[in-house]
Amino acid sequence: MTSAGCELDDWDNDDLLLATLEADEIIEARKHEGNTIPVSSVEVPDSFPFPFTPYDIQKDFMKNLYLCLELGKVGIFESPTGTGKSLSIICGALKWLRDFQEKQRKYLETLKSTDSVAVNTLTKPSSEKKEPELDWIHEFTVKLEQEALLSKLKNEQENIKKRETKLKELEQVGSKKRKFNAQLDSRFEDLMTDASEDIKRACKEELQALDAELNDSESGTHQDDEEIIVAEYNSEDENDGKAKASDCEDEEEHITKIYYCSRTHSQLSQFVKEVIKCPYENVRVISLGSRQNMCINPAVRKLSSLSLINDRCLELQQKKSKKKPGCPFYKQELLQTFKDKSLLKVVDIEQLVTTGREMKACPYYGSRLAVPPAEIVALPYNTLLHKSTRDACGIKLTGNVVVIDEAHNLLETINNIHSVEITAAQIVKAHSQLSQYEKKFKSRLTAKNLMYVRQILFVLSHLAAVLGAKVNSSVITQTGGKTEIKLQNLNDFLFESQLDNMNMFKLLRYCQRSRISKKLHGFVEKYQEAEVKTEESPCSGVSKFLQEINLLKGKQDNTNPQTSAVTSDHQQASYMSSPLMQIESFLEALTNADKDGRIVTHKEAVLSQSTLKFIMLNPAVHFISVLKEAKAVVVAGGTMQPVSEFKHQLFHAAGISPERILEFSCGHVIPGRQLLPLVVTRGPTGVTLDFTYQTRDKPHMVEELGRVITNICNVVPGGVVCFFPSYDYENLIYTYWEKNGTIGKIETKKKVFREPKKSGFVEQVLLEYSNCIKRCSSWQGSRTGALLMSVVGGKMSEGINFSDDMGRCVMMIGLPYPNINSPELKEKMAYLNSTFPKDEEGRLAGQVHYENLCMKAVNQSIGRAIRHKDDYAAILLLDQRYTKPSIYNKLPSWISQHLDKADNFSKVMQSLPKFFAPFKSTL
């Protein structure tokens, strides 16, 4: 063995190999050492670049955010809506990122300026005395660390310089090209005529038709089938990991970045607009979205559902022959150019789509290519929180910052994303298609492929049997007994369905590597007219689809909008050209730990509507990878109360220590005189307002509520927004009031609008509501504004701003508790009771969760009113239960600290005019 201090060239191969292996172990161990930095050693800036003079709460927000990112903590940030939360996040995070980049540059310069780096600059001082025989290993380890770090930093800096140079060149070329195109267009219009264009188009189409005929005659069916037959498969193949590793080496290196995640595409677009306002220059931002929002292929966009759009897109990518040219917008050269152009300036999803149309390049895939060099990546919840989707989009969290905005429902969102539902119609259809696939290509499939295909058929037949369906007959004509709902543990379900001895992990690995669902999709597309029968009916695919829609129409009409939306989604998924992909997701869900999920078996009289649903109970299981990989994670929202739920169910359950969690909460920018929160316990005639399920439908309660709202509308200027617990209750109230004349009384002062059940009409209703208020304000007539009857958890309780006159008063009718008889909610509560301890007041975790679901919905709804520093509004909580400490303590602090209780209705009628009086001059 060589001694310490000798040259590497003098070492033999065995020594070098041993040293390399031991050094790798030491380096890997050091990655997990010293992740925490003492707070005292962190320098937090006193000022942050901001588009205007920030409020004090914004300064505090940015300082705490900077500290959170620098220390690599998990942050819970609460900043009320209207306090400039998005700008605070952007400016605080970008300040940290710019400082981090500057530190990297300085460190690189330091490394470059010295021939060798002292050992103590790269290793932590240690008082431990090393054994002499290990000195040479330590020296070699340090040398490897130096070389690896220096090489990585150099590569990063070189890549940054190359990208910046390329972007500048593109910007110059783009400017010249725009001028040239403008001149060319003006000349072209003078030289070309419509007739000549028609002739050219006709000739081109004729040539394409002839070319297609020639290709058809030259290519045989046997050769065409190669693309839909699964390749030879070896489940023990160990080269698969190596192949993936080599692919990763060729991938463009990711720079340190900020992943900003929000719930909807409109919220992401709003965030990007806020980035544009920031004083930071040359910020590289890219937005990711769904195919439904970003696809520019007309043949794909016209499809009705997201599942069909996804299937069609994937299918077109596989068609690369002259007979089947595939998607004309999916070309690597164009995508690379799109990637570079999308980073030239900050643009939102709509502008990315416009750029894609101009360049004839797919914005969906082009934006993915822009992820590695981007500094900020804006993406929706589903893309970040679902690991397979995250990997498919090329998102790497290691060493990067994750900011999840609008995170008040994060736990429910994670559970919903990882819950999967399949129908009997899907199961039977998948079995029929796969059976025919096996029959047609039996002689051309390897023995290993045949074995796995038959295993999938076995699983499908047993899943169908659980629902009482038969796979060898039409599911549409099959009927069952009475409606039945059964809830089981995963192990019990697997045992009952006789799948407990099936190796689901191995089967799923086959499905992923062989891409059997995509192959089956191609088979169905190719042979659907000629050969593939779904065994559902002898009619054509279109006729069958229409028949099935008519069969289910009656059920749709009798459901509320939320249920209808879910049912509609399920029906659309049922009639995917190949439902096997959805079933694969269900099989993957079955691999979760027994305690983390449940299976709901829902049998219907019409078996095609029967479902199997996996419900996720433990969100921490799927969030732990985000917490472990990312440098820092921030969850933010306007109302994050109750914070304890995040800490216990998400962070502590994922193994995050309390010391790593940083909490920040601030008040509102408005002074107390601009807010009037009141608990209204009694109506005008002295009836106690108690909107529990047992009493809320009674005539005396409905009539008293009518008197309350009529009186309030008489004294409140502008718009009044009234939130009801459900669509059914809102409909009951409106129908009753319409009959007894209450609606007529209200409309003497406020025109009544109702939240539509269909999202397509929301914008129209809001526009009419807003215009009515503006007209009333300018006319100075007897009518003073409008009343909007909304629903908690509906289209208008989140994401809609009732600022200024649109929401001078927000009323909450009762407490919107979810249905306690829901099997899923019952199981969730039972899971929490068995997993988490009681709270300080001795209440079970399930009961606390039940209250939290209600109060989070309340907080989201009443937070719609105050949207900026000059805004003012009254918030009325109509139910005597709001006087309980367990309820009002869960209100946002900026509301609860001003909350007052009105024991009689006369106090309400005195307080409202007095509150609005100082603002009359601004009306």
Side-chain angles (χ1 to χ4, degrees):
M1 188 68 69
T2 40
S3 60
C6 65
E7 296 295 328
L8 293 179
D9 294 339
D10 297 334
W11 296 6
D12 60 33
N13 290 336
D14 291 338
D15 287 342
L16 189 60
L17 177 61
L18 178 62
T20 304
L21 291 174
E22 294 190 19
D24 285 344
E25 291 178 2
I26 295 171
I27 292 172
E28 186 64 27
R30 283 181 182 167
K31 288 181 181 177
H32 302 285
E33 290 180 357
N35 287 331
T36 58
I37 307 170
V39 176
S40 58
S41 65
V42 177
E43 295 183 6
V44 178
D46 291 327
S47 62
F48 292 78
F50 214 74
F52 52 84
T53 303
Y55 307 129
D56 289 340
I57 60 173
Q58 289 176 317
K59 292 177 183 178
D60 293 339
F61 187 105
M62 290 186 285
K63 287 180 180 180
N64 280 273
L65 179 63
Y66 190 101
L67 183 69
C68 179
L69 304 188
E70 185 68 15
L71 295 176
K73 288 184 175 286
V74 176
I76 304 174
F77 282 70
E78 182 181 52
S79 182
T81 305
T83 57
K85 170 169 56 70
S86 296
L87 269 176
S88 300
I89 290 174
I90 295 165
C91 294
L94 277 177
K95 173 64 175 173
W96 173 85
L97 185 62
R98 289 287 189 259
D99 288 351
F100 179 82
Q101 292 168 346
E102 184 61 26
K103 289 175 186 176
Q104 274 192 324
R105 279 191 283 269
K106 288 181 179 179
Y107 189 51
L108 181 60
E109 292 300 323
T110 303
L111 292 177
K112 285 181 178 179
S113 63
T114 55
D115 295 329
S116 62
V117 183
V119 171
N120 60 4
T121 62
L122 285 174
T123 57
K124 295 190 301 181
S126 174
S127 58
E128 295 180 10
K129 201 169 183 180
K130 295 186 178 293
E131 298 180 20
E133 62 268 26
L134 295 180
D135 286 349
W136 67 273
I137 296 178
H138 177 69
E139 182 181 337
F140 182 69
T141 301
V142 173
K143 188 172 183 65
L144 284 180
E145 286 181 332
Q146 290 178 11
E147 292 175 352
L149 181 60
L150 185 60
S151 175
K152 182 180 178 182
L153 290 174
K154 282 182 178 179
N155 288 336
E156 284 184 2
Q157 294 301 317
E158 287 174 5
N159 288 336
I160 289 172
K161 288 180 181 178
K162 286 179 182 178
R163 279 193 293 268
E164 289 176 350
T165 303
K166 190 173 183 180
L167 291 173
K168 287 178 182 178
E169 290 175 355
L170 280 170
E171 197 167 2
Q172 293 172 357
V173 170
S175 179
K176 292 178 181 177
K177 191 175 179 181
R178 283 191 293 272
K179 291 180 181 178
F180 175 77
N181 286 339
Q183 296 173 357
L184 187 65
D185 288 342
S186 61
R187 293 180 183 178
F188 185 78
E189 289 176 1
D190 297 334
L191 295 174
M192 300 299 290
T193 63
D194 292 337
S196 64
E197 284 296 315
D198 291 340
I199 293 170
K200 282 186 177 182
R201 194 181 299 110
C203 291
K204 186 177 179 180
E205 291 173 354
E206 186 67 24
L207 287 171
Q208 287 176 345
L210 290 169
D211 188 48
E213 288 180 18
L214 287 171
N215 283 316
D216 288 343
S217 61
E218 290 174 1
S219 59
T221 305
H222 187 83
Q223 184 178 358
D224 288 346
D225 286 342
E226 291 298 330
E227 65 182 19
I228 59 176
I229 296 178
V230 289
E232 185 175 353
Y233 177 76
N234 183 5
S235 60
E236 308 303 328
D237 188 2
E238 296 178 356
N239 294 323
D240 184 68
K242 295 179 182 178
K244 287 183 180 178
S246 62
D247 291 342
C248 292
E249 289 175 3
D250 297 334
E251 187 181 344
E252 184 178 356
E253 190 165 350
H254 288 235
I255 66 167
T256 302
K257 59 174 56 52
I258 299 160
Y259 287 104
Y260 174 86
C261 177
S262 195
R263 193 169 54 88
T264 65
H265 288 91
S266 60
Q267 288 171 343
L268 293 175
S269 294
Q270 184 60 39
F271 171 80
V272 172
K273 290 181 175 68
E274 295 291 308
V275 175
I276 297 173
K277 296 178 184 178
C278 289
Y280 292 92
E281 297 180 355
N282 302 321
V283 182
R284 293 190 296 277
V285 180
I286 194 67
S287 297
L288 302 182
S290 66
R291 289 183 176 91
Q292 198 167 27
N293 289 87
M294 301 191 79
C295 178
I296 58 174
N297 189 329
V300 179
R301 283 185 61 84
K302 69 181 181 181
L303 299 174
S304 57
S305 72
L306 180 59
S307 58
L308 293 174
I309 290 173
N310 289 337
D311 279 354
R312 186 62 176 165
C313 175
L314 294 173
E315 174 202 346
L316 287 174
Q317 287 180 48
Q318 299 171 10
K319 297 181 177 180
K320 298 179 181 178
S321 63
K322 290 184 178 179
K323 180 181 176 183
K324 297 179 178 179
C327 181
F329 306 101
Y330 187 75
K331 295 177 181 177
Q332 287 302 317
E333 290 183 5
L334 290 174
L335 293 179
Q336 289 292 336
T337 306
F338 175 90
K339 177 197 81 170
D340 295 330
K341 191 171 182 180
S342 65
L343 295 173
L344 282 174
K345 60 180 182 178
V346 180
V347 294
D348 58 20
I349 288 180
E350 289 75 15
Q351 292 167 311
L352 286 173
V353 171
T354 302
T355 302
R357 287 200 177 100
E358 292 172 353
M359 297 178 60
K360 299 189 184 305
C362 176
Y364 176 76
Y365 283 102
S367 59
R368 286 187 179 192
L369 294 177
V371 169
E375 293 175 311
I376 296 179
V377 178
L379 66 167
Y381 277 171
N382 291 18
T383 307
L384 178 80
L385 300 175
H386 197 274
K387 192 175 190 309
S388 59
T389 306
R390 198 162 69 227
D391 294 341
C393 292
I395 293 169
K396 295 185 177 179
L397 302 182
T398 305
N400 295 316
V401 170
V402 173
V403 178
I404 302 176
D405 201 3
E406 302 298 331
H408 52 277
N409 282 331
L410 183 59
L411 281 80
E412 291 76 18
T413 300
I414 296 173
N415 284 337
N416 291 337
I417 288 174
H418 294 91
S419 297
V420 188
E421 185 170 16
I422 56 175
T423 65
Q426 286 177 303
I427 298 169
V428 172
K429 190 172 185 179
H431 187 280
S432 174
Q433 292 174 350
L434 191 59
S435 298
Q436 293 169 79
Y437 179 88
E438 182 212 15
K439 184 177 180 181
K440 184 169 183 64
F441 300 120
K442 185 175 181 180
S443 61
R444 299 175 63 185
L445 294 173
T446 64
K448 184 78 74 171
N449 279 321
L450 274 175
M451 180 190 75
Y452 279 110
V453 167
R454 287 169 182 169
Q455 282 186 15
I456 297 172
L457 288 170
F458 175 84
V459 171
L460 291 172
S461 62
H462 281 256
L463 291 178
V466 170
L467 292 172
K470 299 176 181 178
V471 294
N472 56 358
S473 62
S474 171
V475 71
I476 294 298
T477 59
Q478 294 183 49
T479 57
K482 62 180 181 179
T483 298
E484 179 185 350
I485 299 177
K486 182 165 64 173
L487 200 144
Q488 296 171 287
N489 295 337
L490 289 176
N491 290 342
D492 292 341
F493 172 78
L494 290 170
F495 180 78
E496 182 183 318
S497 58
Q498 299 178 10
L499 297 175
D500 50 323
N501 291 323
M502 180 68 64
N503 189 334
M504 288 294 177
F505 293 97
K506 207 168 184 179
L507 189 62
L508 283 168
R509 186 162 65 245
Y510 171 78
C511 291
Q512 291 164 0
R513 294 184 183 177
S514 68
R515 301 189 303 164
I516 181 66
S517 59
K518 292 181 182 178
K519 301 287 185 181
L520 187 60
H521 175 81
F523 168 72
V524 173
E525 285 293 311
K526 184 171 183 178
Y527 294 106
Q528 61 181 343
E529 296 296 332
E531 299 177 33
V532 179
K533 308 295 181 186
T534 61
E535 297 185 1
E536 292 177 0
S537 66
C539 59
S540 68
V542 174
S543 300
K544 171 172 64 62
F545 179 80
L546 293 173
Q547 287 178 5
E548 292 169 354
I549 290 295
N550 289 332
L551 182 68
L552 299 174
K553 185 178 179 181
K555 185 180 179 184
Q556 282 185 346
D557 292 340
N558 295 326
T559 56
N560 63 41
Q562 294 165 313
T563 308
S564 295
V566 173
T567 306
S568 178
D569 288 342
H570 291 158
Q571 288 168 359
Q572 288 175 342
S574 299
Y575 308 113
M576 291 162 54
S577 56
S578 175
L580 185 59
M581 190 176 296
Q582 178 77 358
I583 295 171
E584 283 180 21
S585 299
F586 182 78
L587 297 182
E588 185 177 4
L590 294 179
T591 62
N592 281 280
D594 182 59
K595 64 182 178 62
D596 291 335
R598 299 289 183 269
I599 299 294
V600 180
T601 305
H602 191 170
K603 294 182 181 180
E604 291 280 1
V606 179
L607 283 178
S608 62
Q609 300 170 13
S610 298
T611 61
L612 291 172
K613 183 177 183 180
F614 169 81
I615 55 173
M616 174 57 65
L617 299 177
N618 183 8
V621 172
H622 294 284
F623 198 61
I624 190 170
S625 60
V626 176
L627 293 168
K628 285 190 173 182
E629 292 173 21
K631 172 182 173 59
V633 176
V634 174
V635 293
T639 51
M640 296 297 289
Q641 296 296 332
V643 173
S644 59
E645 198 169 53
F646 285 94
K647 292 193 289 187
H648 295 311
Q649 294 187 37
L650 201 59
F651 300 148
H652 295 168
I656 301 299
S657 63
E659 293 76 22
R660 197 188 164 194
I661 299 173
L662 186 151
E663 294 181 47
F664 174 81
S665 179
C666 64
H668 215 293
V669 292
I670 62 168
R673 63 182 181 83
Q674 291 175 217
L675 180 69
L676 176 64
L678 278 176
V679 176
V680 183
T681 60
R682 294 181 182 275
T685 63
V687 174
T688 299
L689 299 181
D690 182 15
F691 294 98
T692 55
Y693 190 77
Q694 294 78 12
T695 62
R696 67 182 187 182
D697 294 348
K698 293 182 177 179
H700 76 279
M701 189 63 64
V702 176
E703 291 171 2
E704 188 73 353
L705 178 60
R707 287 188 283 269
V708 169
I709 293 180
T710 302
N711 278 276
I712 289 171
C713 287
N714 288 337
V715 297
V716 173
V720 176
V721 183
C722 190
F723 284 103
F724 292 86
S726 67
Y727 282 99
D728 288 340
Y729 190 60
E730 184 273 341
N731 186 60
L732 181 147
I733 293 292
Y734 185 85
T735 303
Y736 192 99
W737 286 353
E738 198 173 32
K739 290 179 180 178
N740 73 356
T742 301
I743 293 293
K745 293 177 182 177
I746 294 173
E747 290 206 322
T748 60
K749 288 291 185 180
K750 310 282 186 188
K751 183 173 175 57
V752 178
F753 293 87
R754 301 176 68 192
E755 178 177 324
K757 292 185 177 181
K758 294 183 178 179
S759 58
F761 295 101
V762 170
E763 290 296 329
Q764 179 184 341
V765 172
L766 281 174
L767 182 63
E768 292 176 1
Y769 171 72
S770 176
N771 289 338
C772 176
I773 294 171
K774 290 176 183 177
R775 286 195 303 269
C776 294
S777 176
S778 59
W779 287 351
Q780 298 295 324
S782 59
R783 183 174 283 177
T784 59
L787 169 70
L788 180 61
M789 299 174 70
S790 302
V791 177
V792 176
K795 314 296 185 302
M796 296 180 179
S797 63
E798 291 190 37
I800 304 296
N801 295 339
F802 295 110
S803 60
D804 301 321
D805 280 351
M806 286 187 68
R808 289 304 178 204
C809 179
V810 174
M811 284 187 281
M812 177 62 61
I813 311 300
L815 285 160
Y817 283 106
N819 182 7
I820 190 65
N821 294 317
S822 164
E824 296 179 21
L825 179 58
K826 280 184 176 180
E827 195 61 29
K828 176 70 175 180
M829 292 173 66
Y831 165 78
L832 293 173
N833 289 339
S834 62
T835 308
F836 297 97
K838 295 180 180 180
D839 67 359
E840 296 175 355
E841 299 176 8
R843 293 178 303 170
L844 293 171
Q847 180 63 31
V848 174
H849 171 72
Y850 184 61
E851 285 185 1
N852 290 345
L853 288 175
C854 169
M855 292 310 298
K856 282 193 284 187
V858 169
N859 292 341
Q860 277 303 302
S861 299
I862 61 180
R864 300 297 95 201
I866 304 295
R867 311 304 292 183
H868 56 83
K869 67 180 180 65
D870 296 320
D871 208 353
Y872 57 93
I875 297 175
L876 306 183
L877 306 174
L878 275 61
D879 198 304
Q880 53 90 18
R881 289 174 292 174
Y882 280 105
T883 58
K884 296 180 181 178
S886 61
I887 299 297
Y888 66 70
N889 283 338
K890 291 179 180 177
L891 292 170
S893 58
W894 63 276
I895 293 178
S896 61
Q897 65 184 350
H898 301 292
L899 188 66
D900 195 7
K901 176 185 173 183
D903 294 320
N904 53 70
F905 195 71
S906 61
K907 182 176 179 178
V908 178
M909 297 306 292
Q910 292 169 4
S911 300
L912 286 172
K914 185 178 179 181
F915 170 75
F916 287 109
F919 305 107
K920 282 187 177 180
S921 59
T922 63
L923 295 178

